[in-house]
Amino acid sequence: MMKSSTLGLLLAGVVLAGCGSFKKKPEPVAASANPQVLLLGEVHDNPQGHKLRYEELRKRVAAGWRPAIAMEQFDREQQALLDEAQKSCLDANCLIRVMKGPRWDWQLYHPVIELALNNKLPLIAANLSRGDASKVVRDGVASSFDAPTVAAYRLNEALPADIVQGQEAEIRTGHCNMLPDSMVPGMVNAQVARDIWMAKLVRAQSPRDVVLIAGNGHVRRDIGVPRWLDAIQPKLTWTSIAYAEGKAGDGQFDQVRKVDAVQRPDPCAKFKGK
């Protein structure tokens, strides 16, 4: 026969378990589910995608993960200012005011920045500035890197043909197939330089895990940042997740979260009649 004290403990456990159902707990994310690098894409102006991505990250942080967060929205030259803002700002609105970035709808990024500040997760400025991008368009990919980086990523050689072809296709499609042919190579170089900088800055956070917040094109496993993460040793474990309005091509991402398309003016209208 079971002792009354043991039976009491078991009954208490059942009662407590039942009470727990009245209060929703954060969904656990196993530590093993977190790669060294988690690449989370976006359609820049899609609020639904931003919300889903934030929730993905929030769950992982709630379960104890403490990665650095690298963001395309901050140019790499702004890192010192970003570091100071993280020390002095108590909320995301303050940090956004300090950084004064004109190109982005910052309210879409507010939750991620607030999550970083509240959990003391370092923010990493990961993008190429417009000034450096212009230099790359003029002088080539290697022009924005020091000699050791050029050697490590073999930037003194021709870029891999499949990366160039893939980036060309993305750029032409993104500009409604109306770009002059003479402009495409320079734009490909600028996009590749951005991806290499992101990969380089992600690696620089080692041994800390990193989340990259960037456009879907940057997190493509075939031609984006993951490709350059794999270009040098040591290899890192990474997972690429797109938040996409349309169908993604086979092998472009590890996972795709489908989001409803945003109603926008015709993006090709500005090219028509030229």
Side-chain angles (χ1 to χ4, degrees), residues 9-256:
L9 288 172
L10 287 174
L11 289 173
V14 171
V15 171
L16 288 172
C19 291
S21 65
F22 290 99
K23 185 175 181 180
K24 188 176 180 180
K25 296 180 180 179
E27 297 179 35
V29 178
S32 60
N34 295 320
Q36 291 171 289
V37 183
L38 180 62
L39 304 109
L40 299 178
E42 66 181 43
V43 176
H44 295 312
D45 65 345
N46 189 300
Q48 182 189 14
H50 282 269
K51 289 177 182 177
L52 290 175
R53 183 178 61 181
Y54 167 75
E55 191 61 19
E56 173 95 32
L57 183 54
R58 184 200 64 78
K59 288 177 183 177
R60 292 172 184 264
V61 171
W65 198 34
R66 292 295 180 268
I69 300 179
M71 296 184 65
E72 177 188 1
Q73 290 67 39
F74 301 117
D75 293 346
R76 64 181 186 83
E77 296 92 339
Q78 296 178 306
Q79 189 62 58
L81 181 61
L82 183 56
D83 289 343
E84 187 59 35
Q86 289 176 85
K87 292 176 186 175
S88 58
C89 285
L90 298 179
D91 57 39
N93 287 330
C94 169
L95 187 142
I96 290 168
R97 284 195 303 271
V98 170
M99 300 308 295
K100 297 178 182 176
R103 287 181 284 166
W104 306 94
D105 182 351
W106 286 105
Q107 287 311 302
L108 295 176
Y109 301 95
H110 185 284
V112 169
I113 294 172
E114 194 79 7
L115 184 72
L117 292 176
N118 289 343
N119 291 278
K120 302 188 185 307
L121 307 179
L123 289 169
I124 308 302
N127 202 0
L128 194 69
S129 69
R130 286 189 171 184
D132 271 358
S134 296
K135 181 180 179 182
V136 168
V137 168
R138 184 181 67 246
D139 299 329
V141 174
S143 65
S144 71
F145 297 98
D146 59 18
T149 303
V150 169
Y153 289 94
R154 300 171 65 176
L155 300 180
N156 51 355
E157 304 175 18
L159 295 172
D162 64 317
I163 291 181
V164 172
Q165 291 166 5
Q167 294 288 6
E168 281 183 354
E170 286 293 303
I171 287 167
R172 289 185 185 278
T173 300
H175 291 80
C176 305
N177 294 308
M178 294 182 183
L179 272 182
D181 288 345
S182 60
M183 293 182 64
V184 175
M187 296 179 74
V188 167
N189 285 341
Q191 192 73 350
V192 169
R194 289 187 181 95
D195 289 339
I196 296 172
W197 266 111
M198 289 181 191
K200 176 182 169 70
L201 290 166
V202 162
R203 280 189 169 276
Q205 310 314 311
S206 181
R208 190 164 195 153
D209 293 346
V210 184
V211 171
L212 175 64
I213 300 291
N216 285 329
H218 291 299
V219 307
R220 277 181 55 168
R221 57 181 296 135
D222 55 341
I223 62 172
V225 175
R227 186 69 178 272
W228 295 105
L229 285 173
D230 283 351
I232 61 175
Q233 299 293 334
K235 291 290 182 70
L236 303 177
T237 62
W238 50 263
T239 298
S240 171
I241 302 177
Y243 294 80
E245 293 181 349
K247 183 179 179 181
D250 292 341
Q252 290 184 353
F253 308 98
D254 292 307
Q255 301 172 36
V256 177

